[in-house]
Amino acid sequence: MRVDVVSIFPDYLSVLDLSLVGKARQRGLLDLRVHDLRDWTTDRHRTVDDTPFGGGAGMVMRPDVWGVALDDVLEPGAQLVVPTPSGEVFTQRHAEEMATAEQLVFACGRYEGIDARVAEHYRDAGVTVRELSIGDYVLNGGEVASLVMIEAVARLVPGMVGNPESLVEESHGAAGLLEYPVYTKPPSWADLEIPEVLLSGHHARIERWRRDRALERTAERRPDMIAALDVATLDKQDLALLAELGWVPGEDGAGLVRA
Ligand code: SAM
């Protein structure tokens, strides 16, 4: 998979040389290229921004500079990702879709963001343009947001994560639940013991215990995810536990509602 990041602070992206993403780059699984937007400027001051039409505080990034940069970087079939706090909130579903792209190009905004015509222009030209937010807060620039998305996408690329099994039961996976609590050695620490069932070697009991803890944890921390569960994917024991936790199938039978 090819990933391009265009930024006025390319050094910000140097962490992409570390850890799993760095290793994937070395192994050729990820062709990751970081570009300095200012390389596409033509004036002495290498200007990338200007004052906003309509007045107001701050500066806006110029569409003409972004246009030449993106024309150069985008390959046919690429997806253009524009991180912005006014975008749809990035989720694991986006990561899964983005992991199938041949090329992802991240356009990192700064100041008050990128002139809105850039996304419009590439959308009109038939490019898949994703304006995505990593959460309801405002960062100084799109670099950190791009790093978040690149890491989430890259770990889904086949071969990236050593044991692909570890992706299956994770939070926000196909089950629509948060992951159960996990433990390792030592079995006793700070007067806290690990749940005995995990030492039993009894796979079915361990699986049931994990499923129950995932349901409990999700109900407590993310009731919105419980409300979004499809009843058809739940077994009798799931439904019994959810009823204890105050969730029952709604009138239409498809979703869960508070009892
Ligand atoms: N004026 C913009 C607004 O209110 O929507 C905020 C601009 S912000 C200071 C500068 C850049 O940071 C944005 O263009 C975007 O690239 C990035 N950014 C800030 N918060 C973000 C978030 N929550 N998710 C994704 N990108 C974000």
Side-chain angles (χ1 to χ4, degrees), residues 8 10 94:
I8 56 168
H94 292 106

Side-chain angles (χ1 to χ4, degrees), residues 38-228:
R38 293 193 200 275
D39 288 348
W40 282 278
T41 55
T42 46
D43 64 317
R44 206 157 54 90
H45 300 290
R46 309 183 84 205
T47 311
V48 295
D49 59 326
D50 215 320
T51 52
F53 280 123
M59 301 294 269
V60 175
M61 297 189 103
R62 295 177 59 108
D64 49 355
V65 180
W66 272 108
V68 281
L70 293 174
D71 283 350
D72 260 5
V73 172
L74 285 164
E75 297 287 340
Q79 297 190 11
L80 173 61
V81 185
V82 185
T84 164
S86 59
E88 235 176 70
V89 177
F90 175 72
T91 67
Q92 191 68 16
R93 300 293 85 74
H94 292 106
E96 285 160 5
E97 284 170 25
M98 286 154 71
T100 64
E102 270 169 44
Q103 186 199 20
L104 292 173
V105 177
F106 289 84
C108 301
R110 282 269 154 180
Y111 318 116
E112 293 309 317
I114 302 174
D115 185 302
R117 288 170 294 181
V118 173
E120 194 182 331
H121 167 73
Y122 287 99
R123 212 168 262 137
D124 288 350
V127 176
T128 299
V129 179
R130 298 178 182 274
E131 293 180 89
L132 294 171
S133 164
I134 59 159
D136 292 344
Y137 39 79
V138 179
L139 304 165
N140 286 335
E143 290 76 10
V144 171
S146 296
L147 287 172
V148 166
M149 292 188 257
I150 291 168
E151 186 153 317
V153 171
R155 62 199 303 283
L156 300 178
V157 171
M160 263 287 290
V161 172
N163 180 1
E165 282 282 300
S166 65
L167 299 176
V168 175
E169 286 189 350
E170 281 186 325
S171 301
H172 308 292
L177 298 173
L178 301 179
E179 193 181 54
Y180 48 78
V182 293
Y183 303 92
T184 186
K185 295 178 189 77
S188 173
W189 174 77
D191 283 338
L192 295 168
E193 310 297 324
I194 61 158
E196 245 183 69
V197 62
L198 299 181
L199 298 171
S200 70
H202 193 300
H203 287 306
R205 278 182 54 213
I206 293 173
E207 212 175 292
R208 187 66 244 174
W209 181 89
R210 287 179 164 165
R211 175 87 182 164
D212 289 350
R213 299 297 81 73
L215 286 163
E216 276 174 6
R217 187 181 251 189
T218 311
E220 185 189 330
R221 300 181 182 177
R222 292 292 303 273
D224 59 309
M225 289 172 65
I226 295 288

Side-chain angles (χ1 to χ4, degrees), residues 177 211 215-216 219 226 229 234-249 256-257 259:
L177 298 173
R211 175 87 182 164
L215 286 163
E216 276 174 6
I226 295 288
L229 287 175
L234 303 171
D235 66 21
K236 256 175 140 177
Q237 293 190 56
D238 294 338
L239 289 168
L241 176 60
L242 285 165
E244 273 175 42
L245 297 170
W247 290 90
V248 292
L256 292 159
V257 294

